[in-house]
């Protein structure tokens, strides 16, 4: 049998003539003893050479025995296994399966399939252990077509009723996402064991099919821990936390995976405190932690910004002894970075002996979050290799810290480096374009999205609308909006606010009415945009109506920004007393912008008495704000009250408040002067 095509085995030779292992003729008993004590490649090659020279290699059992040893041994390479297999004149099922299994184990599934074809060509035997190996090879090759072909061979060769073959066939279809065929095999199986039920359940869990998974789980004759753990994982992914907790509480026996699944369920659904409570409960009953649950718990700590708890988890891991695991170290770097402890994050980063892409991205994100964009950029530039996440983290960092020009420049570098940006990258770049009113750049990115066939989802679409609106191109923004398949409340908000910002107030309010007709419930941001539109046009009655409807119709409590908007609306209309009463009725302490809006109205309408009261209030809130001092001084001076005006100027000097001089800038040919 010629297996030279399987790889480089024909060109690979075991160590050349070697000394005989024993002067005695080797036999099965001696072979077993020699293999039992074999601990290095040199000794193994001596044994194999002796078998070849004595002819023992022709013995099927002896050949399969040394082949199995070679396949299982950590110090013998796959080339040696191929060489031994090539010496077997009449390999049996066991030998063939052994080599197929080695190929699958070494991620060489195509060789397993090729060997199977050679086996069929030479009419060699296959058995019920052959096809499960081949199904695993099909999974690695992501080839459902190949799996179906093997499925037909199973029935032709009479293995269709073998429970082991059927179980691996169900698993193959499930992993490849073909649950229709997986269910058909399951339903037609004459014999089902616990593995059969777990396999079909695992397929539905992977597919995210809660309904079918729950039906299978309910029908299981015996629900073991594996099945229950799988269901908790699925329920967690689907946001069904209460159902996951109920199932967990009903379990007769729980293991570490059960606890990990439930903790992950809470963490995935934003219930971070509950996840930490479960972890503490797990520790208290003596269950040993592993890397997976610790990484989940550290993520919860990062979201809650509980640095001390994160440090305690770090201490637990040091005691257990897997602190050198790269996933754990990355989770620690992320936790320390999120909690603002960059010294600890940097120490973890620099002391790690197994840095990967996630390690670099995490530490860069930490510096970005803390506003240290220069240090983040220095790390970014020193990265040995950058992926899309690396570029996006740095670009987003620039945008979030108001370095918009740098964000656009780095985006250009990213494109020149032939790195494909993802949705998050494009959102950050469009945000930078909006702040810089870089219409042409934003329009180019919009065209890029279309050329690449990217779907304009809610986040990307909303960012495009915002960019066009801030650049003054309302028509383009509306084209994006009405071209979106899915529109969230944020998309409507961006359109309503953008139209009002560009002076199209009537259309803005009409869009708000259209939003309600479409069944989209407005939120606090919506009303901020609507009240802003009313303020622009001085629509007092409409503003009062929308402000009152927040609580009456939508149960939305106005915040300080809503009150500030109404105060500005009333103040501009000259309704100063009503505006002041509204401030006094606020359930929260009025902020500086709210008082500032009223002060501006007082100056506009010449109400110096109220202006004095409001001016004094603003100076109390911000004693070092030069503008408020100057305005109050001017109000006194306008009424001829020079003593009080001088007192305010004297207070400025006493508190070290200096009036900022005004300046003008002119831009010409990209230069400011």
């Amino acid at each position: 049998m010629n297996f030279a095509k399987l790889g480089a085995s024909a060109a690979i030779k075991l160590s050349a003539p070697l000394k005989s292992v024993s002067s005695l003729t080797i036999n099965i008993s001696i072979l077993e003893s020699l293999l039992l004590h074999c601990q290095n490649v040199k000794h193994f090659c001596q044994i194999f050479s002796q078998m070849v020279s004595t002819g023992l290699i022709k013995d099927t059992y002896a050949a399969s025995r040394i082949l199995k040893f070679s396949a299982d041994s950590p110090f013998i390479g796959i080339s040696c296994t191929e060489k031994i297999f090539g010496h077997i004149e009449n390999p049996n099922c066991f030998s063939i399966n052994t080599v197929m299994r080695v190929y699958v184990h070494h991620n060489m599934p195509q060789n397993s399939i090729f060997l199977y074809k050679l086996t069929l060509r030479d009419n060699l035997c296959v058995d019920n252990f052959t096809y499960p190996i081949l199904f695993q090879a099909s999974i690695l090759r992501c080839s459902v077509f190949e799996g179906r072909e093997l499925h037909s061979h199973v029935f032709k060769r009479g293995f269709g009723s073998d429970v082991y073959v059927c179980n691996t066939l169900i698993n193959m279809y499930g992993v490849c996402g073909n649950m229709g065929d997986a269910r058909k095999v399951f339903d037609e199986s004459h014999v089902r064991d616990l593995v059969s039920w777990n396999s079909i359940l695992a397929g539905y869990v992977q597919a995210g099919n809660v309904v079918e998974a729950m039906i299978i789980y309910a029908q299981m004759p015996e629900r073991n821990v594996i099945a229950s753990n799988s269901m908790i994982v699925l329920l967690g992914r689907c946001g069904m936390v209460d159902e996951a907790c109920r199932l967990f509480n009903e379990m007769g026996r729980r293991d570490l995976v059960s606890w990990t699944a439930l903790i992950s369920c809470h963490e995935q659904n934003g219930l971070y405190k509950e996840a930490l409570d479960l972890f503490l409960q797990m520790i208290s009953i003596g269950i040993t932690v592993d890397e997976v649950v610790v990484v989940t718990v550290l993520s919860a700590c990062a979201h809650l910004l509980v640095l001390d708890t994160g440090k305690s988890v770090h201490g637990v891991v040091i005691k257990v002894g897997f602190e050198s695991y790269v996933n754990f170290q990355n989770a620690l770097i992320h936790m320390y970075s999120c909690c603002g402890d960059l010294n600890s994050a940097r120490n973890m980063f620099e002391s790690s002996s197994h840095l990967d892409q996630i390690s670099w991205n995490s530490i860069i994100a930490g510096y970005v979050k803390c506003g240290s964009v220069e240090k983040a950029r220095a790390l970014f530039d020193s990265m040995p290799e950058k992926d899309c996440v690396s570029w996006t983290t740095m670009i987003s960092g620039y945008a979030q810290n108001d370095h918009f020009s740098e964000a656009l420049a780095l985006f250009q570098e990213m494109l020149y480096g032939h790195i494909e940006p993802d949705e998050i990258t494009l959102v950050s770049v469009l945000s930078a374009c909006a702040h810089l009113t870089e219409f042409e750049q934003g329009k180019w990115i919009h065209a890029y999205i279309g050329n690449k066939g990217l779907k304009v989802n809610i986040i990307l679409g909303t960012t495009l609308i915002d960019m066009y609106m801030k650049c003054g191109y309302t028509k383009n923004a509306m084209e994006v909006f009405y071209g979106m398949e899915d529109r969230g409340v944020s998309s409507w908000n961006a359109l309503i606010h953008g139209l009002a910002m560009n002076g199209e107030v009537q259309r803005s309010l009409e869009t708000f009415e259209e939003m309600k007709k479409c069944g989209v419930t407005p939120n606090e941001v919506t009303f901020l945009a609507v009240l802003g539109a009313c303020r622009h046009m001085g629509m007092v009655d409409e503003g009062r109506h929308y402000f009152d409807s927040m609580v009456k119709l939508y149960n939305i409590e106005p915040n300080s920004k809503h009150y500030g908007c109404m105060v500005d609306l009333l103040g501009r209309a000259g309704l100063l007393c009503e505006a002041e009463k509204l401030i006094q009725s606020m359930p929260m302490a009025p902020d500086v912008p709210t008082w500032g809006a009223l002060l501006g109205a007082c100056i506009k309408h010449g109400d110096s008495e109220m202006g004095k009261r409001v001016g004094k209030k603003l100076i109390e809130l911000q004693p070092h704000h030069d503008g408020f001092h100057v305005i109050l001084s001017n109000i006194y001076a306008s009424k001829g009250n020079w003593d009080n005006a001088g007192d305010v100027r004297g207070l400025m000097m006493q508190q070290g408040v200096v009036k900022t001089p005004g300046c003008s800038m002119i831009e010409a040919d990209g230069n400011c002067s």
Side-chain angles (χ1 to χ4, degrees):
M1 185 176 184
N2 181 14
F3 295 101
K5 291 182 182 179
L6 285 172
S9 58
I12 298 172
K13 297 181 180 179
L14 298 172
S15 304
L18 296 167
K19 293 181 181 178
S20 175
V21 175
S22 170
S23 57
L24 299 174
T25 301
I26 191 170
N27 57 31
I28 298 294
S29 177
I30 295 172
L31 174 64
E32 293 286 358
S33 177
L34 290 172
L35 292 177
L36 184 64
H37 295 91
C38 180
Q39 295 182 350
N40 56 64
V41 176
K42 183 178 180 181
H43 190 197
F44 177 80
C45 291
Q46 290 175 337
I47 297 170
F48 178 68
S49 296
Q50 191 75 358
M51 288 185 67
V52 173
S53 62
T54 60
L56 186 61
I57 194 68
K58 295 181 180 180
D59 182 277
T60 303
Y61 175 77
S64 62
R65 186 69 188 85
I66 194 168
L67 183 70
K68 181 69 166 62
F69 183 89
S70 172
D72 295 344
S73 176
F75 57 81
I76 299 175
I78 190 171
S79 58
C80 286
T81 304
E82 289 178 319
K83 179 71 174 178
I84 294 167
F85 187 62
H87 276 77
I88 303 175
E89 293 181 2
N90 297 300
N92 57 13
C93 287
F94 180 85
S95 300
I96 294 170
N97 293 344
T98 298
V99 177
M100 285 184 181
R101 195 174 289 109
V102 168
Y103 283 135
V104 169
H105 179 72
H106 285 81
N107 199 26
M108 300 167 66
Q110 68 281 1
N111 285 15
S112 293
I113 301 296
F114 185 69
L115 177 55
Y116 174 66
K117 291 177 179 178
L118 291 179
T119 301
L120 295 182
R121 186 198 67 184
D122 293 347
N123 294 316
L124 296 175
C125 70
V126 293
D127 60 13
N128 62 326
F129 293 102
T130 307
Y131 289 102
I133 300 169
L134 295 170
F135 292 145
Q136 186 62 34
S138 297
I139 291 173
L140 291 175
R141 286 164 64 83
C142 301
S143 176
V144 178
F145 175 78
E146 205 165 63
R148 281 205 184 100
E149 280 192 315
L150 292 168
H151 187 176
S152 66
H153 289 200
V154 163
F155 281 94
K156 288 177 183 177
R157 292 182 171 267
F159 298 116
S161 60
D162 186 280
V163 66
Y164 178 51
V165 173
C166 288
N167 290 345
T168 52
L169 188 53
I170 293 168
N171 177 67
M172 185 271 295
Y173 280 128
V175 172
C176 292
N178 192 337
M179 287 308 299
D181 285 339
R183 186 59 182 265
K184 185 177 180 182
V185 174
F186 176 81
D187 290 339
E188 293 177 355
S189 296
H190 300 296
V191 180
R192 298 177 192 148
D193 59 8
L194 193 55
V195 177
S196 312
W197 288 94
N198 284 341
S199 297
I200 192 67
L201 179 65
Y204 284 125
V205 167
Q206 180 181 300
N209 192 330
V210 180
V211 175
E212 290 296 334
M214 292 183 79
I215 292 172
I216 288 292
Y217 185 74
Q219 293 176 349
M220 290 182 75
E222 179 186 350
R223 298 173 194 164
N224 63 357
V225 177
I226 296 173
S228 298
N229 292 346
S230 296
M231 283 302 299
I232 293 173
V233 169
L234 175 60
L235 294 170
R237 284 185 198 151
C238 298
M240 303 170 70
V241 181
D242 291 339
E243 290 82 352
C245 291
R246 191 178 305 115
L247 193 156
F248 179 84
N249 292 329
E250 291 172 355
M251 291 175 67
R253 186 174 71 85
R254 306 179 191 119
D255 59 11
L256 172 61
V257 179
S258 313
W259 285 94
T260 301
L262 191 63
I263 291 169
S264 297
C265 167
H266 285 82
E267 190 271 337
Q268 289 167 2
N269 289 280
L271 301 170
Y272 306 116
K273 185 179 182 302
E274 291 80 356
L276 291 183
D277 291 341
L278 280 167
F279 178 71
L280 294 175
Q281 187 180 341
M282 180 184 109
I283 294 291
S284 67
I285 61 175
I287 295 181
T288 304
V289 301
D290 69 354
E291 181 187 10
V292 178
V293 71
V294 167
V295 167
T296 301
V297 170
L298 285 173
S299 175
C301 292
H303 281 94
L304 292 173
L305 304 179
V306 285
L307 179 60
D308 290 339
T309 306
K311 287 181 176 179
S312 298
V313 175
H314 189 176
V316 169
V317 171
I318 291 173
K319 290 179 182 178
V320 175
F322 55 82
E323 68 272 17
S324 62
Y325 290 11
V326 67
N327 287 340
F328 168 68
Q329 291 182 342
N330 289 341
L332 269 179
I333 293 170
H334 175 69
M335 185 275 295
Y336 281 127
S337 297
C338 288
C339 294
D341 188 354
L342 285 177
N343 288 332
S344 296
R346 190 64 183 259
N347 288 337
M348 283 297 306
F349 179 79
E350 291 179 347
S351 63
S352 176
S353 57
H354 301 289
L355 293 175
D356 61 8
Q357 207 75 37
I358 297 174
S359 314
W360 284 91
N361 293 340
S362 296
I363 191 69
I364 291 171
Y367 277 114
V368 160
K369 184 177 180 182
C370 294
S372 301
V373 287
E374 293 82 8
K375 291 181 179 179
R377 182 59 189 266
L379 277 168
F380 175 81
D381 290 338
S382 65
M383 286 183 75
E385 201 173 316
K386 303 178 184 74
D387 60 8
C388 179
V389 177
S390 315
W391 288 91
T392 300
T393 301
M394 197 64 240
I395 291 170
S396 300
Y398 275 136
Q400 290 162 14
N401 288 278
D402 298 340
H403 297 309
F404 304 114
S405 297
E406 290 87 343
L408 295 184
L410 191 59
F411 177 65
Q412 292 295 335
E413 283 187 43
M414 180 181 184
L415 294 179
Y416 290 146
H418 304 291
I419 307 294
E420 291 280 342
D422 61 10
E423 175 198 322
I424 301 172
T425 322
L426 296 172
V427 166
S428 297
V429 176
L430 285 169
S431 175
C433 292
H435 281 88
L436 296 173
T437 60
E438 285 280 357
F439 170 69
E440 292 300 331
Q441 178 81 9
K443 189 177 179 182
W444 182 90
I445 294 170
H446 190 184
Y448 176 89
I449 292 168
N451 292 337
K452 292 292 181 180
L454 300 175
K455 182 181 178 182
V456 179
N457 58 20
I458 292 175
I459 297 174
L460 197 53
T462 301
T463 312
L464 276 168
I465 293 167
D466 182 63
M467 183 273 297
Y468 279 127
M469 286 298 186
K470 285 179 177 173
C471 291
Y473 290 83
T474 57
K475 183 179 178 181
N476 298 65
M478 295 188 74
E479 286 175 359
V480 172
F481 179 81
Y482 288 107
M484 292 169 65
E485 292 182 16
D486 301 310
R487 305 183 196 114
V489 65
S490 59
S491 313
W492 288 93
N493 292 345
L495 190 64
I496 293 167
H497 175 70
L499 288 168
M501 181 175 64
N502 283 278
E504 299 187 36
V505 174
Q506 194 58 45
R507 181 180 269 184
S508 171
L509 297 178
E510 289 171 359
T511 302
F512 176 60
E513 296 301 323
E514 182 186 350
M515 172 186 179
K516 292 189 289 185
K517 289 178 183 177
C518 291
V520 180
T521 304
N523 59 17
E524 61 272 11
V525 179
T526 315
F527 280 102
L528 199 58
V530 170
L531 292 174
C534 294
R535 179 183 59 187
H536 280 303
M537 290 294 290
M539 302 167 67
V540 177
D541 292 336
E542 290 83 351
R544 288 194 190 107
H545 166 72
Y546 289 129
F547 186 79
D548 292 339
S549 70
M550 289 178 66
V551 175
K552 291 179 181 177
L553 299 181
Y554 299 102
N555 198 29
I556 298 173
E557 290 294 334
N559 59 34
S560 59
K561 290 183 179 179
H562 297 105
Y563 278 101
C565 212
M566 277 302 297
V567 167
D568 195 20
L569 170 62
L570 294 169
R572 290 187 186 197
L575 303 171
L576 302 183
C577 292
E578 185 180 346
E580 189 175 26
K581 286 179 182 177
L582 183 62
I583 290 177
Q584 292 168 350
S585 71
M586 288 174 66
M588 73 287 293
D591 57 11
V592 169
T594 304
W595 285 112
L598 184 56
L599 179 61
C602 291
I603 295 170
K604 177 182 177 182
H605 295 285
D607 192 332
S608 57
E609 290 303 316
M610 185 181 291
K612 293 173 189 176
R613 293 198 307 272
V614 176
K616 289 177 181 178
K617 187 68 179 178
L618 283 166
I619 289 175
E620 287 177 16
L621 291 173
Q622 285 194 351
H624 297 288
H625 192 288
D626 63 319
F628 298 148
H629 287 82
V630 172
I631 291 172
L632 182 58
S633 175
N634 290 342
I635 291 174
Y636 282 125
S638 68
K639 295 298 180 180
N641 195 339
W642 300 106
D643 291 339
N644 286 343
D647 290 342
V648 173
R649 296 282 181 172
L651 182 63
M652 286 179 68
M653 294 179 64
Q654 183 182 338
Q655 294 181 339
V657 179
V658 180
K659 183 179 181 297
T660 305
C663 66
S664 300
M665 297 182 73
I666 299 174
E667 182 180 342
D669 298 326
N671 298 314
C672 293
S673 59

